[in-house]
Amino acid sequence: MPDAAAEPGTAAARDAAEAAEEKSAFSHPAVDPDSTAVYGDHPDQVIDFYVPRGAVGPGGAAPVVVVLHGGSWRAPYDRRHVSPFAGFLARRGLAVASVEYRRGADGGDGAEGAGGAGGAGGGDAGGPVAGRWPETFDDVAAALDALPALVRQHLPQADARRVVLTGHSAGGHLALWAAARHLLPDDAPWRIDRPAPLRGVVALAPIADFEVADKLDVCGGATRQLLGGEELFAERRPYADPALLLPTGIATTLVQGRADVDVPQAVAEAYADAAAKAGEVVGVTLLEDVGHYPLIDPAADACAVVAEEIAQLAW
């Protein structure tokens, strides 16, 4: 007789599907970049560049896609786990800049890779601490500020005037945050005076609303850890929570799997609702029977949808 626990719609079936998606996403060999540049003195302050291969779009210089990887802002998960995704975008004619940043309580060195328990969206309260305050945010801001000059040097065939930010999971949070730096409180060290010159943001299963993510215990309490614990959560949220930094005035699309159990659909919907209340329309692309990992898996149809969403904003 079939195992009733594995019947469609059960928790066991959802877990099995998620495990299969994760295995597929992390089955691809890492794709080496064409070049790497530093944007600071710390070993994690680097950006990998992938030159565009093939001609896609209306022609001319390729747009630049800035990729911010996920992994719950935790040290074991570095940019290598999204290098197949970066290579996939480059093969579709896009120039890619994949940003590394400091993660975890000790900053980590990325040596553990990204295939451990919980994958890019995993981790638990007993594992590595999520993020570093303020270093994680320092690094993303510094990388974006350094990017125009580095693109001219490492991607001379690209059009630095056409930049789209994308990120997966915790990286989706960072992409939304980076696009909202002009809305940060006046005393925030990362604040800029005007909106960043971006074509748009495509956030993939983003941890986009910290209040909802915290209530759902997304990634083992990662949002609270990122902000320094319960005693600092409310104080630091205005500096870090994209749902409080609206409207950005920058075209934004969220791509979300309906079957995602790591960062549930409710988190993206909460951000979209907050944007609507702020007078801004945020696109939400919901993918049926898709979990957390296919969005960055070159073998999955969902990844092609992501590439198309990026291309629509980039060109």
Side-chain angles (χ1 to χ4, degrees):
M1 296 180 61
D3 183 355
E7 290 294 320
T10 64
R14 290 192 295 270
D15 289 346
E18 186 80 359
E21 290 177 342
E22 179 183 357
K23 182 178 180 180
S24 176
F26 294 119
S27 68
H28 308 285
V31 177
D32 291 334
D34 294 291
S35 62
T36 299
V38 302
Y39 64 89
D41 296 330
H42 192 277
D44 285 333
Q45 293 175 318
V46 296
I47 303 175
D48 288 341
F49 293 97
Y50 298 80
V51 302
R53 291 166 170 80
V56 180
V64 178
V65 182
V66 180
V67 175
L68 293 157
H69 71 80
S72 310
W73 309 284
R74 290 185 167 110
Y77 312 112
D78 65 13
R79 69 194 185 282
R80 288 181 297 170
H81 80 268
V82 294
S83 66
F85 174 64
F88 174 79
L89 295 177
R91 291 194 302 274
R92 294 178 73 96
L94 298 161
V96 180
S98 182
V99 176
E100 190 58 271
Y101 52 88
R102 281 173 283 184
R103 313 161 311 285
D106 61 0
D109 59 6
E112 296 301 319
D124 55 53
V129 174
R132 296 180 66 173
W133 183 279
E135 291 90 346
T136 298
F137 297 91
D138 289 344
D139 288 357
V140 173
L144 270 293
D145 291 345
L147 192 66
L150 293 176
V151 165
R152 288 193 293 270
Q153 180 182 354
H154 291 268
L155 296 171
Q157 63 279 85
D159 185 352
R161 299 168 300 176
R162 294 177 177 269
V163 176
V164 173
L165 295 185
T166 192
H168 178 241
S169 194
H173 157 262
L174 293 173
L176 294 170
W177 176 86
R181 288 170 59 198
H182 58 294
L183 300 176
L184 287 168
D186 289 341
D187 61 341
W190 316 292
R191 181 182 168 91
I192 53 179
D193 293 334
R194 59 184 61 84
L198 299 170
R199 297 282 295 184
V201 179
V202 179
L204 315 177
I207 305 178
D209 184 304
F210 278 18
E211 181 178 20
V212 174
D214 184 58
K215 287 178 180 178
L216 296 175
D217 195 33
V218 167
C219 299
T223 53
R224 282 188 181 267
Q225 293 175 20
L226 175 68
L227 300 192
E230 179 149 1
E231 66 280 2
L232 294 170
F233 184 72
E235 176 185 334
R236 289 176 172 173
R237 263 191 71 204
Y239 298 85
D241 187 347
L244 300 181
L245 300 171
L246 290 160
T248 66
I250 295 171
T252 300
T253 297
L254 312 183
V255 184
Q256 176 74 42
R258 287 188 181 273
D260 193 332
V261 297
D262 287 297
V263 184
Q265 178 180 332
V267 181
E269 290 177 335
Y271 177 85
D273 289 345
K277 290 176 182 177
E280 187 163 72
V281 177
V282 167
V284 181
T285 299
L286 297 173
L287 303 179
E288 296 290 343
D289 302 319
V290 169
H292 195 61
Y293 302 98
L295 304 177
I296 58 166
D297 181 358
D301 292 342
C303 197
V305 174
V306 168
E308 182 58 30
E309 295 284 0
I310 292 171
Q312 287 183 17
L313 291 180
W315 265 290

